[in-house]
Amino acid sequence: MAPTHPGLSLSLRPMSSIAQDVASTAAPREEPDHNYESLRVTAAQKHILHVQLNRPEKRNAMNKAFWREMVECFNKIAQDPDCRAVVISGAGKLFTAGIDLMDMALEILQPQGDDVARTSWYLRSLISKYQETFSVIEKCPKPVIAAIHGACVGAGVDLITACDIRYCAQDAFFQVKEVDIGLAADVGTLQRLPKVIGNQSLVNKLAFTCRKMMADEALGSGLVSRVFPDEVQMLDAAFTLAAEISTKSPMAVQSTKINLVYSRNHSVAEGLNYAATWNMSMLQTQDIVNSVQAAVEKQELKNVTFSKL
C-alpha cells in the first residue's frame, strides 16, 4: 500500500463522518438537477459532487440507461458553476461488474440494418455513442477522482482510465474482460490504459489474457496512485483530495486539466503552443491577483473567494 503522507491522518479524521455519510443512503443531499435510473448524484461537500454507480443489486452493471445517463450527468456537471471537483464510486459491494449483457444483448447481437453495409453503419454509430459515455468524463473540465473498491471489470476499466485520479481499496481488482466475451474493447481501455500506466507489454498481457490485476499491482503499475485498507478510508481520502482541489482557483484547475489532456495526445511543441494560446487570455483572470495576494499575506486559499466558473 502507498505510504501515508505525514500528517495526512490528522487531515482525514474530520472527514471520516463525511465519507461514511456519503457512502450511506440517507445523509447526502440529493442534487435536484440529477435524476437518474442508474446513477446517484449528491452534494458531498461545498463545491464537490459525488457520482455513484447505483445499481448495487445488479453489481452496478452498465445497462442501456447508464450509457445514456453518464453523458447527461457529466455534461451537466461541466456546466455547473458551483462544482469544482467530482468523486465517482460504486454503491454496494463493488465498483462495477461491467456491461449488463442481459440488457444490452439485443442491441449489440441483433443490430438494425437491411444489409451488411447498413448494419455496419448502425453499429459504428452505436459504438461511437458508447465511447462518448466515458469520453465525456475526460471532456468535463472539473477534476474527476475515481474511488474503486471490489471488482472493476470490463467497461469499468474504460471508465476509470478516463478519470483524472484513481484511488482504490485493498480489495479492488481490475480486469480487461472483453476478449473473454469474444470482442476487442472499443470504448477507451485500449487507447487510454497504455498512456495511463506507460507499459505496453503489461497492457497487452492484461488485454490478451483477461487476468485480474490486484490492488498492489495496480499501484505499482501506476493505474492507481494510492491504495487504502478499506472503502471508508478510501472515500475519506478521495473527498479530502477533492476538498483540497476545490480550494484552488477553478480557472487555474480547469485550465490545467484541459491542457494536460491536450498535451497527452500531442507533441511537446504542439502542447506548448496550445498553452501559450490558452494563457494569453487566461492570464488576465482576477484569480491570479487573489492567489498572489493570499500568498503574500500568508492566507490559506480556502479563505479566498473565487468567482464561479
Side-chain angles (χ1 to χ4, degrees):
M1 291 193 306
T4 302
H5 190 280
L8 184 56
S9 59
L10 294 176
S11 66
L12 289 180
R13 286 194 191 108
M15 293 293 297
S16 296
S17 61
I18 295 176
Q20 292 175 25
D21 285 346
V22 170
S24 74
T25 57
R29 177 171 58 83
E30 301 287 342
E31 280 294 294
D33 293 336
H34 293 272
N35 296 303
Y36 307 113
E37 174 188 326
S38 66
L39 303 172
R40 184 182 185 216
V41 182
T42 54
Q45 304 171 47
K46 184 179 181 181
H47 301 311
I48 301 170
L49 292 180
H50 185 197
V51 177
Q52 284 182 297
L53 282 60
N54 193 35
R55 300 182 73 215
E57 74 287 353
K58 297 292 186 180
R59 304 175 73 225
N60 294 325
M62 300 171 180
N63 62 355
K64 283 183 282 190
F66 168 86
W67 296 90
R68 178 185 69 253
E69 290 174 346
M70 278 287 287
V71 177
E72 180 183 349
C73 175
F74 275 90
N75 279 335
K76 285 183 178 179
I77 290 173
Q79 299 299 320
D80 184 348
D82 287 319
C83 177
R84 296 185 184 178
V86 181
V87 174
I88 185 165
S89 68
K93 296 181 179 180
L94 49 80
F95 186 73
T96 178
I99 191 171
D100 188 334
L101 290 172
M102 298 300 292
D103 189 64
M104 305 288 289
L106 184 64
E107 192 169 40
I108 296 173
L109 300 180
Q110 295 182 350
Q112 302 172 12
D114 295 333
D115 56 27
V116 172
R118 286 170 175 79
T119 299
S120 299
W121 193 281
Y122 168 80
L123 281 173
R124 189 183 192 283
S125 175
L126 187 68
I127 294 166
S128 297
K129 182 174 70 174
Y130 290 161
Q131 289 173 347
E132 184 64 16
T133 296
F134 303 130
S135 293
V136 72
I137 300 173
E138 195 171 74
K139 293 175 182 177
C140 175
K142 325 288 182 171
V144 181
I145 303 164
I148 306 113
H149 73 289
C152 179
V153 175
V157 180
D158 295 286
L159 189 161
I160 66 166
T161 53
C163 297
D164 302 297
I165 299 167
R166 288 162 293 278
Y167 282 176
C168 78
Q170 188 66 58
D171 69 348
F173 70 85
F174 307 85
Q175 191 171 19
V176 183
K177 190 66 173 172
E178 284 79 359
V179 162
D180 271 354
I181 58 173
L183 57 91
D186 56 5
V187 291
T189 289
L190 302 186
Q191 293 70 38
R192 294 188 177 100
L193 186 57
K195 295 182 178 181
V196 168
I197 68 176
N199 185 333
Q200 189 67 54
S201 177
L202 178 57
V203 171
N204 293 349
K205 183 178 180 181
L206 294 170
F208 296 158
T209 66
C210 305
R211 77 162 175 84
K212 295 178 181 178
M213 173 186 271
M214 309 310 288
D216 289 338
E217 185 182 4
L219 177 64
S221 70
L223 178 58
V224 301
S225 51
R226 290 195 68 185
V227 177
F228 298 87
D230 54 45
E231 180 188 4
V232 171
Q233 292 186 55
M234 174 192 63
L235 284 172
D236 235 4
F239 286 114
T240 297
L241 176 60
E244 180 181 359
I245 292 171
S246 71
T247 66
K248 316 292 185 184
S249 156
M251 183 68 70
V253 170
Q254 294 177 44
S255 293
T256 296
K257 174 173 177 174
I258 289 167
N259 276 271
L260 283 169
V261 172
Y262 182 91
S263 294
R264 182 197 63 193
N265 299 323
H266 295 80
S267 69
V268 172
E270 290 170 324
L272 288 170
N273 183 62
Y274 187 83
T277 303
W278 184 272
N279 265 0
M280 71 183 188
S281 55
M282 297 305 162
L283 285 177
Q284 301 176 64
T285 176
Q286 184 65 29
D287 289 13
I288 295 177
V289 176
N290 293 340
S291 297
V292 171
Q293 184 176 352
V296 170
E297 297 175 355
K298 297 182 179 180
Q299 181 183 4
E300 293 185 15
L301 282 179
K302 66 181 181 182
N303 296 322
V304 177
T305 301
F306 293 107
S307 297
K308 295 180 179 181
L309 182 63

